[in-house]
Amino acid sequence: MAIPRAKTLFSRSFSSLSSNPLRVCVVGSGPAGFYTAEKMLKTHKEAEVDIIDRLPTPYGLVRSGVAPDHPETKLSLPENLQQIVTNQFSRVAQNERCSFIGNVSLGSSVSLSELREIYDVVVLAYGAESDRVLGIPGEDLTGIHSAREFVWWYNGHPDCRHFAPDLKGSDTAVILGQGNVALDVARILLRPPAELATTDISSHALAALEESSIRKVYLVGRRGPVQAACTAKELREVLGIRDLHINIQEADLVKTPADEEELKNSRIQRRVYELLSKAVVSESSHLRTSQREIHFVFFRKPVGFLDSDDRTGHVAGVHFEKTILEGGFGKQVAVGTGQFEDLDCGLVLKSIGYKSVPVDGLPFDASKGIVPNIGGRVLVDSSGDHQQLEGVYVCGWLKRGPTGIIATNLYCAEETVVSISEDLEKGVLSAPSFPKPGREGLLQLLDSRNVKVIPFCAWEKIDTEEKRLGSLKNKPRDKLSTWEELLKVALE
């Protein structure tokens, strides 16, 4: 494939719209990145903002993290949350003072130090693209995956196109964790594939799920139902799956005085607990042959994985230690009891948290998995002396850790942009002796390295083709899920 010169892909003039523009680069095109760009454009009329992303597609987890069967975010097209958010972000990218530049990887296409030379302000908002590990025996056995990989697989992320979870070798899957991502994964495994066929689930994932042998899913948590980390909305969606047998041990629902205090002080936890309690009362004890099952298992922590006797090197189960809660209100932690049990399975999905990854030249607190910062201002280190890395800021999961919903990034971006504005007003950001080259400088550098940059108009080609392919299958879109397909459509 011929590589078009970077500048020729951008229809806008490279002459600056301002005599003294503030040149800003936002790394990451998910909600944190786009909200930051939007706030910068509104707050600083002289700002020119470039949003770069390692993927050729924008929108981050809005595209690759939202479960395809979420009724209010996917199935109620076109008036749905996902569409509203992407329309909002699209308007930002089409602002005459903003550009999306995809297929540009921080660290390999361009370094952080180079971006600092090219731009007045660099905001890092590239999220968390790795996973926490348990650090227990057997974690490297085949059949054990992160929930992130599974989510990317069914959402058509190009990094996971060739991810191949074994859905045929066993009828049982264990999901470690009870947060919203864990419930998303459980729902995809248990929902009848015919109900997924008209969503934008990736075609390769749908084909695998149609042949899946998984009939039982265990959602396992270290603590009790009062501390379950999911929301009521997500839980209702799982409990509402048609013809699903729900298994919850009544003994696990017994509350301690500390539990009672937690419920009094949290409406979310109270609603989750009420839904679990109602599920126990309403569920029939009679399990029909071939009926799919979900088991909520509480007070268990994984301490090891079991190797298969039949398939050496493949997971055959999880070794759990029973736990009890110790500590008072708001401080209850799961403590092992010395009692153990095994749970047989052929697939394990770890939903124990995403993790951000550092890049060269960027301070990083490995213990917290974030960049040390105050209000989005990147600090040289986390020693406490608060020395700022000039011109570098952070937003989103990289700033606060992998928590919150899409809207959380809006407030996070507002705080970071306020910090940038204050630093400009106070002269904390040094005035360069000559204007920084900004977008033109970046594109020249990328062109010299033969990087195939993807502007927003090229993403629109991908978007159009995916919708066309989807219309042939009665789906909202059929995602292009390999790097080769994405780049071919974008650059043709």
Side-chain angles (χ1 to χ4, degrees):
M1 184 189 302
I3 304 173
R5 294 184 65 81
K7 283 190 185 182
T8 65
L9 291 169
F10 288 78
S11 58
R12 296 178 197 144
S13 169
F14 280 88
S15 59
S16 176
L17 296 169
S18 168
S19 59
N20 186 28
L22 174 67
R23 303 193 190 274
V24 180
C25 181
V26 177
V27 183
S29 68
F34 265 104
Y35 283 135
T36 299
E38 182 179 46
K39 295 297 178 186
M40 282 300 301
L41 292 167
K42 287 182 177 179
T43 306
H44 298 276
K45 301 303 181 184
E46 80 286 4
E48 296 179 2
V49 181
D50 298 328
I51 306 170
I52 70 172
D53 199 290
R54 73 176 187 89
L55 294 177
T57 56
Y59 309 140
L61 287 179
V62 175
R63 175 177 167 91
S64 63
V66 177
D69 67 326
H70 270 191
E72 58 268 46
T73 55
K74 289 282 182 92
L75 296 183
S76 53
L77 291 170
E79 294 300 325
N80 59 68
L81 174 62
Q82 189 196 36
Q83 193 65 47
I84 291 169
V85 171
T86 55
N87 286 345
Q88 179 184 0
F89 293 167
S90 176
R91 288 192 295 271
V92 174
Q94 292 169 333
N95 185 300
E96 63 179 356
R97 292 185 287 124
C98 184
S99 284
F100 169 76
I101 308 175
N103 198 40
V104 176
S105 180
L106 179 62
S108 56
S109 304
V110 61
S111 69
L112 177 58
S113 61
E114 288 169 333
L115 288 180
R116 294 180 68 193
E117 289 292 324
I118 294 170
Y119 290 91
D120 300 303
V121 172
V122 177
V123 182
L124 301 168
Y126 59 79
E129 294 195 327
S130 186
D131 310 286
R132 293 177 56 195
V133 297
L134 289 165
I136 60 177
E139 196 167 1
D140 58 349
L141 288 171
T142 302
I144 301 174
H145 311 282
S146 72
R148 175 191 59 82
E149 293 173 300
F150 192 78
V151 170
W152 281 11
W153 171 71
Y154 65 63
N155 271 321
H157 193 294
D159 282 357
C160 287
R161 172 61 182 85
H162 301 294
F163 175 70
D166 181 7
L167 304 182
K168 294 182 180 180
S170 168
D171 68 351
T172 303
V174 169
I175 300 172
L176 302 176
Q178 295 175 331
N180 285 343
V181 174
L183 268 61
D184 280 349
V185 169
R187 213 173 51 251
I188 296 299
L189 285 170
L190 291 170
R191 193 180 288 283
E195 296 181 14
L196 297 171
T198 54
T199 72
D200 66 355
I201 189 171
S202 66
S203 295
H204 55 268
L206 180 62
L209 289 164
E210 287 172 340
E211 298 183 0
S212 172
S213 300
I214 300 295
R215 293 294 179 271
K216 305 176 193 175
V217 172
Y218 289 80
L219 279 160
V220 186
R222 294 170 182 257
R223 297 190 291 172
V226 171
Q227 294 79 31
C230 60
T231 60
K233 179 181 77 68
E234 295 279 352
L235 182 57
R236 270 194 300 268
E237 288 179 18
V238 170
L239 298 177
I241 294 176
R242 179 169 53 86
D243 197 29
L244 179 68
H245 184 83
I246 302 162
N247 187 292
I248 303 170
Q249 297 298 314
E250 283 192 68
D252 287 342
L253 294 171
V254 175
K255 303 186 295 293
T256 65
D259 287 337
E260 295 281 9
E261 284 298 314
E262 286 192 33
L263 292 178
K264 285 180 184 177
N265 286 273
S266 172
R267 180 178 177 275
I268 294 174
Q269 287 176 266
R270 194 162 59 247
R271 288 294 299 123
V272 167
Y273 181 83
E274 288 170 357
L275 286 169
L276 291 169
S277 300
K278 288 179 182 177
V280 171
V281 173
S282 62
E283 183 59 33
S284 168
S285 60
H286 301 293
L287 175 65
R288 297 190 306 278
T289 304
S290 79
Q291 188 178 13
R292 298 187 185 212
E293 310 168 35
I294 188 165
H295 297 252
F296 289 85
V297 181
F298 301 99
F299 304 110
R300 302 288 189 279
K301 70 174 181 179
V303 292
F305 297 100
L306 308 176
D307 197 344
S308 172
D309 292 331
D310 301 325
R311 295 188 292 169
T312 303
H314 196 287
V315 68
V318 187
H319 187 48
F320 288 104
E321 182 176 11
K322 295 181 181 181
T323 65
I324 57 172
L325 296 184
E326 292 186 356
F329 163 59
K331 298 180 180 179
Q332 295 193 92
V333 295
V335 177
T337 63
Q339 296 177 292
F340 301 89
E341 65 181 20
D342 295 338
L343 180 55
D344 294 339
C345 64
L347 176 68
V348 177
L349 296 170
K350 300 179 295 180
S351 185
I352 57 172
Y354 288 48
K355 183 177 72 173
S356 296
V357 293
V359 296
D360 286 344
L362 179 66
F364 192 75
D365 187 332
S367 63
K368 296 180 180 177
I370 61 172
V371 172
N373 72 93
I374 294 180
R377 297 177 176 91
V378 173
L379 304 178
V380 172
D381 56 46
S382 52
S383 63
D385 62 4
H386 296 175
Q387 182 183 349
Q388 189 174 339
L389 189 64
E390 186 179 318
V392 184
Y393 300 82
V394 68
C395 186
W397 284 3
L398 197 60
K399 171 184 173 183
R400 67 180 190 273
T403 60
I405 58 176
I406 290 174
T408 309
N409 294 289
L410 175 61
Y411 307 115
C412 188
E414 286 177 344
E415 181 185 52
T416 294
V417 171
V418 166
S419 293
I420 295 170
S421 301
E422 290 175 351
D423 289 350
L424 287 167
E425 291 172 9
K426 295 176 182 177
V428 174
L429 289 172
S430 301
S433 55
F434 53 88
K436 299 258 181 120
R439 182 182 312 150
E440 186 165 10
L442 176 63
L443 292 178
Q444 287 176 346
L445 178 64
L446 297 173
D447 193 50
S448 72
R449 293 173 179 170
N450 288 336
V451 175
K452 304 173 187 178
V453 298
I454 306 298
F456 196 76
C457 61
W459 146 248
E460 290 179 316
K461 291 182 183 179
I462 295 172
D463 187 40
T464 298
E465 177 64 4
E466 290 183 342
K467 289 176 180 176
R468 185 190 71 81
L469 293 171
S471 68
L472 303 176
K473 301 179 179 180
N474 193 30
K475 301 173 60 168
R477 71 170 65 236
D478 192 14
K479 289 178 182 173
L480 304 177
S481 55
T482 69
W483 284 92
E484 293 77 16
E485 291 172 330
L486 289 162
L487 294 177
K488 180 181 178 181
V489 170
L491 297 175
E492 64 184 6

